[in-house]
Amino acid sequence: MKRNNLFVKNSLIAFATLLFCAQLIASDANIIAGIKNLKTPGSNYFSGGQPTDEQLTALAGAGVKHVINLRPLSETPKLDEASLVADKAMTYHSLPVDGAAGLTLSNVKALDQLLKQAGSEKVFLHCASGNRVGALMALRASLIYGEGTDAAIAQGKAWGLTRLEPELRRLMGAL
């Protein structure tokens, strides 16, 4: 009888632990879902707008190892995102893309290298809204991987491309 009681007690403890962990995971998922224009274009990729400290914590909890920030320092002069990311045991990468003027081949190549360095580890790629993320990813699809304009634009939209689409079409037509 004591053995059965011990089994029941241990089973209840295990169930309570699983329930608690499930609630934490659901909580992290809700926090991550609150990121502006959040996209999940691949199993190891998240993209979107500027995350809060709480959202960075949730991303780390979801297994993200790399944060790539496309915002120039001038957009967030009081935010030390590099320290926030490092405090959460993630790697921070800064690749400033100043609007449409930052849609350059050198930035596309730099982003491609950062994604290659991350390998199979999870990445969160962001700007203020996700638009520059999508634009660079569309250019990457076109310039590095040879996708046609429509396919590259579709890929960019999967990453967050919105208002920069006309500029991308102009750039891709000039190539």
Side-chain angles (χ1 to χ4, degrees):
M1 188 67 162
K2 283 185 179 183
R3 194 174 202 177
N4 284 343
N5 286 343
L6 185 58
F7 175 76
V8 169
K9 183 179 178 183
N10 286 340
S11 296
L12 287 173
I13 290 170
F15 178 73
T17 302
L18 284 173
L19 185 59
F20 177 73
C21 289
Q23 288 173 338
L24 284 177
I25 291 168
S27 174
D28 278 354
N30 288 335
I31 292 168
I32 292 169
I35 295 172
K36 183 177 184 177
N37 298 325
L38 179 69
K39 304 286 185 191
T40 53
S43 61
N44 287 337
Y45 298 106
F46 297 93
S47 66
Q50 179 67 52
T52 64
D53 186 31
E54 182 181 36
Q55 290 164 339
L56 287 169
T57 299
L59 286 164
V64 170
K65 299 292 183 195
H66 299 269
V67 174
I68 302 173
N69 179 6
L70 300 184
R71 299 184 80 182
L73 183 60
S74 61
E75 290 185 20
T76 56
K78 295 181 181 178
L79 177 64
D80 185 0
E81 185 173 328
S83 292
L84 293 174
V85 169
D87 289 346
K88 291 154 186 49
M90 296 184 289
T91 303
Y92 179 77
H93 308 275
S94 176
L95 177 60
V97 176
D98 193 12
L103 301 178
T104 64
L105 180 57
S106 63
N107 280 340
V108 171
K109 287 180 178 179
L111 177 60
D112 187 60
Q113 284 305 307
L114 289 173
L115 293 172
K116 285 178 180 174
Q117 287 172 13
S120 63
E121 294 181 325
K122 289 186 179 184
V123 175
F124 176 65
L125 181 56
H126 81 87
C127 56
S129 68
N131 187 37
R132 283 173 277 185
V133 172
L136 275 189
M137 293 305 288
L139 284 174
R140 179 178 178 252
S142 175
L143 299 175
I144 294 179
Y145 295 101
E147 296 285 334
T149 299
D150 290 337
I153 294 291
Q155 190 165 116
K157 287 181 177 182
W159 284 84
L161 174 65
T162 56
R163 299 176 318 277
L164 286 171
E165 181 179 346
E167 179 63 13
L168 278 180
R169 288 189 179 279
R170 186 191 69 74
L171 286 170
M172 289 178 187
L175 301 175

